[in-house]
Amino acid sequence: MATDTTSGGVPASALAGIATRFRVCPATGLKVDLAAERLIKANAVAAVVFLAVGGLFGLMVALTRWPAVHLLDAEWFYLVLTAHGLNVLLVWIIFFEIAVLYFASAVILSSRIAAPRWAWAGFALMLVGAVLANVTVLQGNSSVMFTSYVPLQASPNFYLSLILFAVGALIGCFVFLGTLVVAKEERTYEGSLPLVTFGALTACIIAVFTIASGAIILIPTWLWSLGYISHIDTLMYKLVWWAMGHSSQQVNVSAHVAIWYLIAAVTVGAKPLSEKVSRGAFLMYILFLQLASAHHLLVEPGLSSEWKIVNTSYMMYLAVMGSMIHGMTVPGSIEAAQRRSGFTKGVFGWLRHAPWGNPAFAGMFLSLVMFGFLGGISGVVLGTEQLNIMMHNTLYVPGHFHATVVAGTTLAFMAVTYLVVPIVFQRRIMWPGLAKWQIYIFAAGAAGISLFMMGAGTLGVARRHWDITFSDATISFSYPDAAFLMMGLNGLSAILAATGGVLYIVNVVASILWGERIDASNAAGSLGPMPQKVVKDAVATYGNAGTWHLPGTYVLVAIFFTAFVLYYFVNWKYLSELWPMQ
């Protein structure tokens, strides 16, 4: 029996089979592997579910720290604080980052995903680990907080759940790397990796280091909790744990910076000012960012002063330089694209006419600004050995975390969701007006949490005490009245951020379930208001903006450096008042 073939001798049935593996997104022109699409959906949905769980726990923490409310007693506070840290610093973030890795490889490179069965196995391990971690914490015998410092001992299932989750995430990283190999071998793209994919590769490399560090410390700690190991050295634990704990946040930084470039390309057709410089900045993350975790260990007596000084000065400054490069090139690429589109009036005409009504763009730009001004500047202050002593183990530290992970990473992830839903789920956003307001509400809440926690920390409020009034203390102590004001404002900001989070979850879930299905007839406008409608080349190809005429960006950078210098030296003045030098 004859078999139908093409002119090249390839069986037609084989080509049909290949065709069924992919679809072309009518809104962007990107070719989407259906297996990758299902994996992106699963990881993104799991991420949103655990964001809801972690956000609820976070609101309870904030209301307990608000002296006028003081929602929980001590036992419940530390249980809820542990669950909050696990869900928002680990589970929500990493589930979403795995979805980003699959999108940045299979979708942007128009490639089939490597080893989808292994990818599903990794997802299953992550899901089991996440559920087991929450169940174990809620059982009440694992309230060791996110850091789980020894000699505090949790249930063995607590450590086992983290190990399972980490192994699943590691499988996801290897599937991403395998997809890059497949794309290269099958020539689905030309030249160098697109910048967004390169940023995702940076996140993946740091993630492998992070997970390896976690395995080095969590496996012995698990055996310790089972009684097979008699002793875990506390300093060794802290040192290796922060190689995992701080580096996991560097995965976030690399991922959300890649998302900044992605959203800028999709919404305004932006190309980086210099591909080589942006890639060099990502490489600086790989080489130096993990070393900045030393700022968590600056008061540890077992580590040498030389080690502390090198890691919190030279190494940290090189890592900060990478973020400063991105902080200039992202708005610079947007300005170049906007001026190319005709928005050339004045210094900031390009910014006034940016698509602020598009929640993806608005969220990305607010993420960039708050990550730089709140997270970046406070990170340098915390990383300076002399200044760190004023804020170490105060609420300033979680204030910095919220500036980077909430105002920076979470807001960027929320923003890109408004592109993922149309591109991957093929659904229009159910309530686009609500999506626009959601971004600003959440951003205002996140900024308030960060600022007021850092303000309270500057006034000395302890990082991990459940009651700043010390109502049950034998020896009374009172913070300044301003500290109580800061904690009240922090509680109000948490309510505002929680409101924004609820609006995000409701809108995304409603859009996925009941949003209008997107096809070629209604694809126009599905990604929200934006001047650039054909985005595949902007996202998936190598190229530079081709101009350095960026007066608006230079002014923004000057404002940032002015704020940076002023705040940095204000803290030195504050230090001189704490330690007067006669």
Side-chain angles (χ1 to χ4, degrees):
M1 182 175 179
T3 301
D4 293 336
T5 61
T6 65
S7 59
V10 179
S13 58
L15 288 179
I18 293 171
T20 58
R21 293 178 57 97
F22 294 91
R23 66 173 179 84
V24 177
C25 173
T28 63
L30 294 167
K31 193 167 73 169
V32 182
D33 176 23
L34 298 181
E37 178 180 272
R38 289 188 288 270
L39 283 160
I40 294 169
K41 288 179 178 179
N43 282 278
V45 168
V48 171
V49 169
F50 285 103
L51 172 65
V53 174
L56 175 61
F57 288 136
L59 180 61
M60 295 167 71
V61 168
L63 293 179
T64 303
R65 282 177 165 156
W66 186 356
V69 178
H70 211 53
L71 181 66
L72 304 172
D73 62 22
E75 183 176 350
W76 271 99
F77 174 79
Y78 291 110
L79 184 153
V80 168
L81 181 60
T82 302
H84 171 60
L86 280 172
N87 282 289
V88 295
L89 284 173
L90 196 69
V91 180
W92 134 254
I93 290 286
I94 294 181
F95 265 121
F96 202 94
E97 283 166 351
I98 294 297
V100 169
L101 291 184
Y102 294 156
F103 184 91
S105 55
V107 177
I108 290 181
L109 300 181
S110 298
S111 170
R112 62 182 176 87
I113 193 166
R117 291 182 180 178
W118 275 104
W120 281 111
F123 172 78
L125 283 172
M126 290 173 66
L127 187 60
V128 169
V131 172
L132 180 59
N134 278 276
V135 170
T136 304
V137 170
L138 290 173
Q139 286 174 340
N141 58 353
S142 299
S143 300
V144 293
M145 295 173 286
F146 180 61
T147 49
S148 58
Y149 287 154
V150 298
L152 290 176
Q153 188 176 87
S155 163
N157 281 344
F158 177 85
Y159 307 107
L160 178 61
S161 67
L162 297 180
I163 293 168
L164 292 174
F165 188 85
V167 171
L170 187 62
I171 291 172
C173 290
F174 287 137
V175 170
F176 165 77
L177 295 173
T179 305
L180 298 188
V181 174
V182 168
K184 188 69 174 179
E185 289 185 347
E186 298 182 357
R187 299 181 180 179
T188 62
Y189 68 97
E190 297 180 358
S192 301
L193 282 175
L195 183 60
V196 173
T197 307
F198 189 88
L201 175 60
T202 301
C204 179
I205 292 170
I206 298 174
V208 172
F209 169 86
T210 301
I211 294 167
S213 300
I216 290 170
I217 196 60
L218 287 175
I219 291 175
T221 310
W222 175 50
L223 296 174
W224 169 69
S225 71
L226 290 169
Y228 293 114
I229 293 177
S230 61
H231 175 71
I232 298 287
D233 182 79
T234 55
L235 180 57
M236 183 274 293
Y237 179 92
K238 281 187 175 183
L239 181 67
V240 181
W241 193 94
W242 278 113
M244 175 192 72
H246 196 270
S247 297
S248 66
Q249 310 317 310
Q250 313 320 322
V251 180
N252 302 342
V253 173
S254 301
H256 78 228
V257 170
I259 285 173
W260 292 348
Y261 284 109
L262 171 67
I263 294 176
V266 170
T267 55
V268 299
K271 301 294 287 184
L273 299 180
S274 169
E275 287 266 4
K276 291 181 179 179
V277 171
S278 293
R279 289 164 194 262
F282 276 122
L283 286 174
M284 295 176 85
Y285 283 170
I286 296 173
L287 295 174
F288 304 113
L289 258 182
Q290 296 90 297
L291 301 174
S293 61
H295 79 75
H296 294 281
L297 305 166
L298 286 177
V299 299
E300 298 297 332
L303 300 171
S304 70
S305 296
E306 292 82 4
W307 182 88
K308 294 174 183 177
I309 291 169
V310 167
N311 283 301
T312 57
S313 56
Y314 305 108
M315 301 303 182
M316 189 190 73
Y317 297 154
L318 290 169
V320 169
M321 185 183 295
S323 289
M324 287 183 174
I325 290 170
H326 293 306
M328 175 181 175
T329 58
V330 174
S333 67
I334 294 169
E335 180 175 1
Q338 287 287 85
R339 290 186 180 278
R340 190 168 59 246
S341 298
F343 302 111
T344 58
K345 186 176 180 180
V347 175
F348 291 115
W350 62 276
L351 193 57
R352 289 196 304 273
H353 291 92
W356 293 106
N358 188 324
F361 179 87
M364 175 273 295
F365 207 90
L366 289 171
S367 165
L368 186 154
V369 170
M370 291 195 293
F371 178 79
F373 279 86
L374 301 181
I377 295 175
S378 64
V380 173
V381 169
L382 277 176
T384 302
E385 186 176 13
Q386 297 90 332
L387 298 178
N388 177 276
I389 199 66
M390 296 191 297
M391 290 93 167
H392 194 86
N393 274 345
T394 70
L395 272 180
Y396 195 100
V397 178
H400 164 71
F401 287 167
H402 284 76
T404 54
V405 181
V406 182
T409 303
T410 295
L411 187 58
F413 286 2
M414 286 180 171
V416 81
T417 303
Y418 293 116
L419 300 181
V420 170
V421 170
I423 294 172
V424 176
F425 289 87
Q426 303 175 73
R427 300 283 182 175
R428 295 179 75 94
I429 297 300
M430 191 80 172
W431 299 296
L434 184 64
K436 178 176 67 175
W437 282 105
Q438 178 272 319
I439 285 293
Y440 292 104
I441 291 170
F442 184 83
I449 291 171
S450 303
L451 285 169
F452 298 129
M453 289 181 84
M454 287 191 286
T458 303
L459 295 170
V461 175
R463 173 182 177 183
R464 286 174 167 150
H465 202 285
W466 76 290
D467 178 15
I468 74 166
T469 66
F470 298 100
S471 57
D472 60 347
T474 304
I475 301 176
S476 63
F477 177 82
S478 59
Y479 289 112
D481 291 341
F484 287 82
L485 174 63
M486 292 292 174
M487 298 313 297
L489 293 172
N490 173 67
L492 292 172
S493 299
I495 293 172
L496 190 62
T499 302
V502 169
L503 295 178
Y504 165 78
I505 292 166
V506 169
N507 204 356
V508 168
V509 171
S511 301
I512 292 171
L513 295 178
W514 303 296
E516 180 185 358
R517 191 162 187 85
I518 295 173
D519 54 32
S521 65
N522 63 356
S526 63
L527 300 181
M530 58 187 196
Q532 180 76 18
K533 294 300 180 185
V534 181
V535 299
K536 183 178 186 300
D537 289 342
V539 176
T541 59
Y542 184 98
N544 300 321
T547 181
W548 290 94
H549 177 64
L550 310 165
T553 300
Y554 300 144
V555 172
L556 292 177
V557 171
I559 293 171
F560 171 79
F561 275 114
T562 301
F564 194 163
V565 170
L566 286 175
Y567 185 72
Y568 189 72
F569 283 102
V570 161
N571 277 279
W572 280 100
K573 178 66 167 62
Y574 185 38
L575 178 65
S576 72
E577 293 176 354
L578 289 179
W579 292 348
M581 301 187 66
Q582 303 295 337

